[in-house]
């Protein structure tokens, strides 16, 4: 079996902490923990997918905004300097800057 999804892990932990799963008073039939766990997992995974999509849009906007003029006021949360926190980005920057030293910022415009 592969790695659990966020929803599956959440449902498993929730069921462990809240067993047995009881129905509200006066309601029948009893809650089937397996079926309920699957419903919880699906709901949490749907929520996580929505949040990933939102994060992807934000990341795309702020990373691409690193190309903009630094003096221009904008909602930039990732700078050209911060991009170099990733070693693979530093490796790429070295390829295009031709220097032997570690670049101080990712080259956002080679033709400026």
């Amino acid at each position: 079996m592969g790695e659990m999804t966020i929803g599956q892990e959440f449902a498993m932990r929730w069921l462990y902490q809240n067993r047995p799963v009881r129905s509200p008073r006066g309601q029948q039939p009893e809650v089937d923990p397996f079926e309920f766990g699957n419903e919880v997992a699906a709901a949490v995974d749907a929520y996580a997918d929505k949040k990933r999509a939102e994060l992807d849009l934000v990341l795309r906007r702020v990373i691409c905004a690193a190309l903009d003029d630094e003096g221009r006021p904008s909602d930039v949360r990732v700078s050209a300097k911060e991009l170099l926190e990733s070693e693979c980005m530093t490796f790429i920057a070295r390829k295009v800057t031709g220097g032997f030293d570690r670049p101080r910022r990712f080259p956002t415009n080679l033709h400026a």
Side-chain angles (χ1 to χ4, degrees):
M1 182 177 171
E3 188 175 322
M4 286 191 284
T5 66
I6 294 169
Q8 290 169 333
E9 185 173 351
F10 178 88
M12 182 186 74
R13 291 177 182 208
W14 189 92
L15 287 168
Y16 179 77
Q17 291 178 2
N18 294 285
R19 69 179 190 278
V21 181
R22 294 191 171 96
S23 330
R25 292 182 188 183
Q27 292 185 3
Q28 294 297 329
E30 288 270 334
V31 174
D32 177 348
F34 182 76
E35 186 178 315
F36 184 73
N38 285 336
E39 290 172 358
V40 169
V44 171
D45 284 335
Y47 175 79
D49 288 344
K50 179 182 176 216
K51 288 299 182 183
R52 277 188 201 100
E54 290 171 3
L55 179 60
D56 187 56
L57 290 174
V58 171
L59 284 173
R60 182 179 308 274
R61 181 173 46 85
V62 298
I63 288 173
C64 290
L67 296 172
D68 294 340
D69 180 23
E70 290 182 9
R72 195 176 117 211
S74 62
D75 186 24
V76 177
R77 295 188 193 132
V78 176
S79 69
K81 183 178 178 183
E82 289 171 324
L83 287 174
L84 294 181
E85 291 175 2
S86 163
E87 284 300 317
C88 62
M89 293 297 283
T90 301
F91 178 74
I92 293 168
R94 280 189 185 137
K95 281 184 163 185
V96 294
T97 57
F100 293 104
D101 296 334
R102 182 180 174 96
R104 288 185 226 163
R105 63 190 300 275
F106 190 79
T108 55
N109 188 353
L110 293 175
H111 307 290

